[in-house]
Amino acid sequence: MSEFSDAAALVMARCEALGSLSQNPTCLDRRYLTEQHKLANQLTSGWMIEAGMTTWQDSVGNIWGRYTSAVPNAPRLIIGSHLDTVPNGGKYDGMLGVVAPVTLMAIFSGEGRQFPFHIDIVGFCDEEGTRFGTTLLGSRALTGKWQDEWRRLKDEDGISLEDAMKNFGLDFDAINSATIAQTDLLGYLELHIEQGPVLEQENLPVGVVNAIAGAKRFSLTVTGMAGHAGTVPMSMRHDALCASAEMILAVESISQQRPGVVATVGKIENAPNGVNVISGRCQFSLDIRSEEDTLREAALAEILQKINDIAVLRNVELKTEQTHSAPAVHCDSALQNTLLKGVTEAGIEPKVLASGAGHDAMAMAEICPVAMLFTRCKGGISHHPAESITTDDVAASLAVMHHSLRTLKY
């Protein structure tokens, strides 16, 4: 893979360059429809042009580059990931999956290699959903699944999505022009850092994804009775925080007994939250995921039943509100096999693993076959400044993609 070392070093440098474009001077934070989004698109477009590609920005703000086929009426293969970040994020989440394939196109151009299909690379504008609270905006625009009520979504400064688009030079009512035809679409490939520890644990630079976990999220509100910490006997309390604590442990216990399911309570709010006051109200989140929807639903039913039982026994009121739902996505077997052959040809032991995190590939799966290649990241750390990958692992990823695209059959 030494033949890809220089290209890998260039990928790392380009990720550093994108990592400098932040709306926050103290950390990496690049959100949808900001000046930094515009600058990231311009920088990426320049690299695409250097690679011999034609470029354009679509009506939602995704940046595109095409490595053009000489075949008349050729179909298109889309490769991409996202250019937005979470607040205080890392330099490789999303960005690697745009920069690496662009750099690979320059290699193909230098080789004079032609393909019987167009290769379209896309830098999605908003996968994280950080600014307006709705994820996969860039990729969902391609599927024609934008909702009219999204125009009224507002950011933390009270700016609506519709107005933010106008300020960026886009028109909310023209979003449909970003929708792509499915008739000539071969599929979608995404290179992404693993965001987990499996590849590092197995000492492998890359892995092929077989499924992306589906997820459901809930907001649960437990209402008891606040009271004086010194005067209300223990037997007469309706403590919302204690009830919530028991519920949260039940979430952990049940999910531990369900292989293939992960469930997390990551956010909790307590009121009145006084040191000498019994909790009267507690709100907490539930995030449950699995690459098999049936497994997730079975575990969820058991968790919700147990939580309700606890509420009854503790004589507290429970309100459950679902806030998010996304089905699991299974990657296309033919595209998976193409990547696995690429891994083997690159001299790497093949590894198949699932993704617990969501990706643009989830939206793209609604309109075409999808597949993903993971690159090892240090400690499995992501969404954090400590996010880290190596030049050698990038070279391995480029080698796999190079072999895979050369042998792709359709």
Side-chain angles (χ1 to χ4, degrees):
M1 285 172 286
S2 58
E3 61 185 300
F4 295 99
S5 296
D6 290 344
L10 181 57
V11 170
M12 296 292 279
R14 286 174 168 176
C15 286
E16 285 290 327
L18 283 170
S20 70
L21 301 178
S22 174
Q23 63 197 64
N24 188 327
T26 64
C27 66
L28 178 53
D29 184 359
R30 185 170 58 251
R31 308 188 198 185
Y32 182 39
L33 301 174
T34 59
E35 181 63 24
Q36 291 71 31
H37 167 195
K38 186 173 293 186
L39 291 171
N41 278 6
Q42 291 171 353
L43 189 58
T44 303
S45 177
W47 295 330
M48 290 172 168
I49 292 169
E50 287 179 25
M53 308 176 78
T54 56
T55 71
W56 69 97
Q57 179 179 276
D58 67 20
S59 60
V60 75
N62 298 317
I63 190 68
W64 290 84
R66 169 167 287 189
Y67 189 77
T68 305
S69 172
V71 176
N73 302 315
R76 63 195 298 201
L77 174 73
I78 297 177
I79 305 175
S81 195
H82 59 98
L83 292 174
D84 66 314
T85 77
V86 296
N88 200 37
K91 299 173 183 175
Y92 308 104
D93 174 12
M95 285 170 274
L96 174 67
V98 182
V99 171
V102 169
T103 307
L104 187 59
M105 294 307 108
I107 294 174
F108 285 136
S109 181
E111 294 172 345
R113 188 174 298 277
Q114 294 291 313
F115 292 89
F117 46 83
H118 303 302
I119 299 177
D120 289 345
I121 297 176
V122 57
F124 287 118
C125 55
D126 186 17
E127 186 256 14
E128 302 288 3
T130 300
R131 184 173 181 185
F132 294 102
T134 299
T135 61
L136 307 177
L137 286 176
S139 47
R140 284 204 271 182
L142 272 57
T143 69
K145 295 297 178 68
W146 262 53
Q147 301 173 26
D148 189 68
E149 58 263 30
W150 288 351
R151 71 172 72 238
R152 292 182 288 276
L153 292 173
K154 292 186 177 181
D155 66 11
E156 58 193 20
D157 296 319
I159 300 171
S160 71
L161 175 54
E162 183 175 22
D163 287 342
M165 291 186 71
K166 189 180 300 181
N167 295 337
F168 195 82
L170 302 173
D171 180 0
F172 187 96
D173 292 317
I175 285 294
N176 285 341
S177 65
T179 304
I180 58 176
Q182 300 179 36
T183 53
D184 63 348
L185 189 52
L186 295 180
Y188 171 78
L189 297 178
E190 183 166 357
L191 171 65
H192 205 282
I193 61 170
E194 182 193 354
Q195 299 180 287
V198 175
L199 292 175
E200 186 177 66
Q201 185 178 52
E202 301 202 13
N203 195 29
L204 292 171
V206 296
V208 175
V209 178
N210 62 349
I212 305 170
K216 283 190 174 179
R217 293 177 189 156
F218 298 83
S219 175
L220 297 103
T221 303
V222 180
T223 304
M225 176 63 71
H228 195 291
T231 62
V232 181
M234 297 299 291
S235 61
M236 297 175 66
R237 297 185 178 194
H238 305 287
D239 190 320
L241 183 56
C242 285
S244 298
E246 189 174 347
M247 294 172 183
I248 292 167
L249 288 175
V251 170
E252 180 188 47
S253 175
I254 292 170
S255 58
Q256 283 177 334
Q257 298 167 34
R258 295 272 189 169
V261 175
V262 291
T264 305
V265 175
K267 181 180 181 181
I268 186 167
E269 297 175 359
N270 181 54
N273 210 36
V275 66
N276 58 349
V277 185
I278 298 164
S279 170
R281 181 176 179 273
C282 191
Q283 187 172 37
F284 62 94
S285 63
L286 169 62
D287 179 305
I288 182 166
R289 308 186 187 207
S290 175
E291 57 264 30
E292 296 294 339
D293 290 336
T294 53
L295 289 179
R296 187 192 64 240
E297 291 304 301
L300 175 61
E302 186 176 352
I303 287 170
L304 293 179
Q305 182 61 57
K306 182 61 175 178
I307 286 175
N308 274 288
D309 292 345
I310 293 168
V312 171
L313 287 171
R314 286 186 168 270
N315 199 17
V316 294
E317 180 185 340
L318 174 66
K319 179 182 176 183
T320 303
E321 178 187 3
Q322 184 172 306
T323 59
H324 173 78
S325 179
V329 168
H330 290 264
C331 294
D332 179 72
S333 59
L335 289 178
Q336 273 189 76
N337 287 334
T338 298
L339 290 175
L340 286 168
K341 289 177 183 176
V343 171
T344 301
E345 287 188 35
I348 302 167
E349 179 186 342
K351 171 67 180 178
V352 176
L353 70 168
S355 172
H359 300 284
D360 288 299
M362 298 183 79
M364 295 299 292
E366 295 187 26
I367 58 173
C368 68
V370 303
M372 292 190 69
L373 181 70
F374 272 167
T375 301
R376 171 172 50 188
C377 60
K378 185 177 180 180
I381 297 169
S382 185
H383 285 190
H384 189 278
E387 198 173 84
S388 178
I389 59 176
T390 69
T391 304
D392 285 346
D393 286 355
V394 172
S397 303
L398 289 171
V400 172
M401 294 290 285
H402 189 271
H403 289 304
S404 298
L405 291 175
R406 284 193 297 107
T407 58
L408 180 67
K409 293 181 175 59
Y410 65 96

